[in-house]
Amino acid sequence: MKNSLYLLLIVVAFACQSPQPTTEQEETVPVLDYVDPNIGTAHSRWFFYTPAAVPFGLAKLGPSTDGSYGNEQGWEAVGYDSRHESIEGFANLHEFQVGGFLFAAMTGELKTIPGTLENPDGGYRSRFDRKDEEASPGYYRVLLKDYGVTAELTATKRVGFQRYTFPQSDASYILLDIGNQLGESGKVKDAYVKYLGNSEVEGWVITYPEYVKKYQAGGEVRMYFSGILDQEPDGIGTFRGEETFEGETSITGEGAGLFLKYETEEGETVGIKAGFSFTSIENARENLVAEASDLTFDGALEAAQQVWKEELNKIKVSGSNEEDKVKFYTGLYHALLGRGLASDVDGSFPQNDGTIGQIPLDENGQPTFNFYNTDAVWGAYWNLTQLWALAWPEYYNDFVQTHLAVYKNSGWLGDGIANSKFVSGVGTNLVSLVIASAYQCGIRDYDVELAFEAAYKNEVAYQNRIEGAGKTDLEGFIKNGYVAYIPGWNTMPEGSGFSVSHSLEYAYSAYAVAQFAKALGKDKEYQELMALADNWKNFYDDEIDFVRPIMPSGEFIEDFDTFAPWIGFQEGNAWQYTFYVPHAPEALISRMGEQKFVDRLDSIFTVSEKTKFGGEEIDAFAGLTYLYNQGNQPNLHIPWLFNYTDHPWLTQKWVRRICEEFYGTGPVHGYGYGQDEDQGQLGAWYVMAAMGLFDVKGLIETEPTFQFGSPIFDRIEIETDDTEKLIIETKNNGKENLYIQSIEVDGTSYSDSQISYQELRNGAHIVMQLGATPQEGLYGEN
């Protein structure tokens, strides 16, 4: 969508039509018009708003309103906020703990510091109006009001394009602010930028992000660029802070920057295209040449929009209302945007030990896989990996290859990685579960024995375990069956302040790798891991039917508050984490008693609906003291648990309600109010929910399945490979008609609550009859 007004007009126009438009009519609306990057941009993370990018790309460009403010703890919302009224410039790299290379434009008296939101005139930032801003997949444009300069952005995989249209001025500037902290990048250790002549520039920056500082002390993140301008500047200089050096062509050190001066006519454009790399300036230049040597801004934009159309159209939806489509395709956009490329065109990539790795090349000299950066996978198995497994298995395979490359270099799997440096998001590590899931889904184009070795080590090895591999409290879980609760915020061999949630996660992950072992015929490891998978039972207090922290003595903690977060629970509380037994939901239901389980869960959603299922505070940790929190990872499977009871229609009801009320189409209420979107996770959750497919277990069984929900759309087509399509149709769909009455699969009546992943991948045709009342006995015995 071009802006919120345009979105409103479309929604109103379609809402006024009767009857609903046909599929043919709907197809006249381009899929890109259903994507609104500005949704959810209030209080969003550094990597969230990068409209000028291609799917899974390295170059991710977007405006920055407060990126220069830094990021004290590494996770706070910083970068672009829809509530801000000035832009400081345009950052070229946005990943978890990775941010670099702010470019900006201005006219008049030269300013070389960004200024502040409170005092835009104190720096080179400029005020702007939302009406002058346009964002869509692959493109961004805005008018910088203070200077009369229009800025436009687009990108290829590894090359960023910035184009500035200037007014008449004898003092028009392009600034390359290279050596200052940006977004989540952390403090700058060193930097360099140089004008080479012939309109060419180059530079690098070395940063020390907060999460690298925590999980790999002494590590650093290196970023490089090589760029070329449309035309030779009339003047050149460097700067550091407010100090300028007229005529100088290069500068090094913290704060290093370069300015290029032009005399411009009204409407004159000056563009810069820059190749980026995480390995060297030479490789950045090679990336630029390979992808964009003869490419203009308009050509790059056309190519970016085309690839977005192709990827988004791998899932086609029809029917329902226009707002649902905006939510769906915007969610899919974020799922495809996040966790971007980190390898060069020649297969070079940064390794954990600081060296440069080389991806093997095929017979055509092309890398056999791509290497990616990634936020932690905490919760990703309930959204992203399920979506990848269905329609983007090649990416999923590369994702596994990425983690195995880090393992080969370092000896450990890294939960999250920033240019291969460990940035474990929450101090756990569920990458082994993600690898096991890929194998069970038939995604296996990698060294399977190495994959199992890495996954198994991640589950059982506590001796000499490094901080970056997470799970530093694993010893107690292995030896005693539980991680002991030790008050505070630390995780250590003796225990953890998040002892319950960590133990529940370790039990889940152990089960996943046990199934991996079973599939490979490794019975000894299977038995060992299955015993660990039962450790969740040690935390279940039958007197209150909640999980509860255990002290080092082996006794339950006293004075237990089930609503209190952080006391045994990471980013959650006992109400939320008691349902965290995704590998054994039947056993959990039996332990609590099915009627009590259903009543408690149903009442949780009844109460939580009043706060839109996650709280209404604009805060990344909103909802931690609530009964349910859709805005954070620990809860994302919970509404689907009714499918394991005799009340499966409550999954159909509450998942629909969450899609309607938690998700919005505005900058503030986009992914809830207190969203922590984490590189596409909440967007991918909506996509899966809207299609009526989800697996509580995260596709870890030897024959993985999806459970059914109530699809929002009348028809969904998913390209599962080059030749097959999964089709899901609903009959009598509507806001009130949300309950499944019957299911047919390939023309045959179907009475199970789940369907195999492989059957879906092979191109099944599912037809669901919906109605306004629950259909008891739909799935037979649950």
Side-chain angles (χ1 to χ4, degrees), residues 223-345:
M223 296 161 272
Y224 304 86
F225 81 94
S226 175
I228 186 165
L229 295 129
D230 285 351
Q231 55 182 287
E232 194 86 7
D234 299 309
I236 307 162
T238 61
F239 62 88
R240 181 179 284 108
E242 293 188 89
E243 187 176 10
T244 60
F245 308 94
E246 192 85 26
E248 294 292 322
T249 58
S250 68
I251 188 171
T252 60
E254 182 182 353
L258 178 74
F259 65 83
L260 307 165
K261 184 178 181 181
Y262 294 88
E263 294 184 16
T264 56
E265 300 297 329
E266 181 70 31
E268 184 174 350
T269 64
V270 181
I272 178 172
K273 56 184 177 182
F276 302 105
S277 170
F278 298 128
T279 61
S280 69
I281 285 179
E282 292 73 23
N283 281 359
R285 188 172 297 116
E286 188 61 30
N287 291 340
L288 173 63
V289 171
E291 293 186 2
S293 59
D294 299 318
L295 198 59
T296 64
F297 183 98
D298 291 331
L301 174 58
E302 183 179 357
Q305 291 177 328
Q306 182 59 36
V307 71
W308 273 113
K309 288 176 187 175
E310 291 170 359
E311 295 303 312
L312 292 168
N313 274 319
K314 286 185 177 178
I315 305 180
K316 294 185 174 71
V317 299
S318 57
S320 187
N321 62 57
E322 298 304 284
E323 185 172 295
D324 288 339
K325 291 177 189 169
V326 170
K327 291 181 184 180
F328 183 89
Y329 281 114
T330 301
L332 182 56
Y333 158 79
H334 280 292
L336 299 180
L337 186 67
R339 301 167 196 257
L341 193 61
S343 54
D344 300 319
V345 292

Side-chain angles (χ1 to χ4, degrees), residues 169-232:
S169 174
D170 57 4
S172 293
Y173 293 94
I174 292 177
L175 288 78
L176 309 184
D177 196 341
I178 306 304
N180 290 305
Q181 184 173 1
L182 193 59
E184 293 181 356
S185 69
K187 299 295 184 184
V188 169
K189 296 177 72 173
D190 201 359
Y192 154 80
V193 61
K194 182 176 183 178
Y195 181 74
L196 300 170
N198 298 318
S199 301
E200 295 183 34
V201 291
E202 66 180 24
W204 47 257
V205 63
I206 305 172
T207 66
Y208 193 25
E210 292 302 315
Y211 273 48
V212 172
K213 187 185 300 182
K214 176 176 175 58
Y215 291 105
Q216 192 167 347
E220 57 191 26
V221 168
R222 294 172 175 257
M223 296 161 272
Y224 304 86
F225 81 94
S226 175
I228 186 165
L229 295 129
D230 285 351
Q231 55 182 287
E232 194 86 7

Side-chain angles (χ1 to χ4, degrees), residues 409-466:
N409 181 250
S410 69
W412 296 93
L413 290 173
D415 185 31
I417 51 174
N419 292 2
S420 287
K421 294 297 187 291
F422 293 127
V423 287
S424 180
V426 290
T428 61
N429 191 333
L430 289 133
V431 172
S432 46
L433 184 154
V434 168
I435 292 173
S437 171
Y439 179 85
Q440 306 294 19
C441 291
I443 298 168
R444 303 172 183 175
D445 188 15
Y446 45 82
D447 185 337
V448 170
E449 285 299 324
L450 180 70
F452 181 79
E453 174 192 307
Y456 176 70
K457 181 177 181 180
N458 192 46
E459 297 308 310
V460 301
Y462 56 83
Q463 302 92 340
N464 302 314
R465 194 173 184 108
I466 63 174

Side-chain angles (χ1 to χ4, degrees), residues 47 331 334-336 338-339 383-384 677-685:
F47 42 68
H334 280 292
L336 299 180
R339 301 167 196 257
N383 35 68
L384 286 171
E677 213 274 347
D678 280 349
Q679 290 194 297
Q681 283 203 41
L682 292 180
W685 191 97

Side-chain angles (χ1 to χ4, degrees), residues 399-610:
F399 194 82
V400 173
Q401 288 273 41
T402 293
H403 283 285
L404 294 182
V406 173
Y407 175 77
K408 284 191 287 186
N409 181 250
S410 69
W412 296 93
L413 290 173
D415 185 31
I417 51 174
N419 292 2
S420 287
K421 294 297 187 291
F422 293 127
V423 287
S424 180
V426 290
T428 61
N429 191 333
L430 289 133
V431 172
S432 46
L433 184 154
V434 168
I435 292 173
S437 171
Y439 179 85
Q440 306 294 19
C441 291
I443 298 168
R444 303 172 183 175
D445 188 15
Y446 45 82
D447 185 337
V448 170
E449 285 299 324
L450 180 70
F452 181 79
E453 174 192 307
Y456 176 70
K457 181 177 181 180
N458 192 46
E459 297 308 310
V460 301
Y462 56 83
Q463 302 92 340
N464 302 314
R465 194 173 184 108
I466 63 174
E467 188 83 10
K471 291 188 172 186
T472 52
D473 53 358
L474 186 61
E475 183 174 359
F477 181 81
I478 301 294
K479 289 183 174 180
N480 306 321
Y482 64 93
V483 175
Y485 173 65
I486 296 179
W489 296 82
N490 295 321
T491 294
M492 62 199 85
E494 296 77 20
S496 173
F498 316 126
S499 58
V500 185
S501 59
H502 283 191
S503 296
L504 297 176
E505 290 170 340
Y506 301 167
Y508 174 31
S509 191
Y511 181 89
V513 180
Q515 306 317 301
F516 194 3
K518 181 180 181 180
L520 295 176
K522 299 179 184 294
D523 187 64
K524 174 180 174 294
E525 292 88 347
Y526 170 74
Q527 298 295 339
E528 176 188 8
L529 292 164
M530 284 298 288
L532 295 175
D534 278 342
N535 282 351
W536 70 270
K537 297 175 182 177
N538 298 330
F539 290 91
Y540 194 92
D541 184 349
D542 290 297
E543 291 188 8
I544 58 174
D545 285 311
F546 282 96
V547 291
R548 186 170 185 166
I550 300 173
M551 296 182 293
S553 65
E555 303 296 320
F556 282 129
I557 189 175
E558 298 180 357
D559 301 321
F560 179 48
D561 180 358
T562 57
F563 281 98
W566 308 115
I567 302 176
F569 304 95
Q570 192 151 22
E571 300 186 23
N573 58 40
W575 277 95
Q576 297 166 6
Y577 268 105
T578 293
F579 297 98
Y580 199 112
V581 191
H583 60 292
E586 301 94 340
L588 175 64
I589 292 166
S590 177
R591 186 79 175 257
M592 187 180 294
E594 185 167 10
Q595 191 59 53
K596 184 172 186 177
F597 183 93
V598 170
D599 290 346
R600 179 187 286 184
L601 198 54
D602 189 38
S603 66
I604 283 172
F605 287 111
T606 300
V607 172
S608 299
E609 186 173 18
K610 297 174 183 177

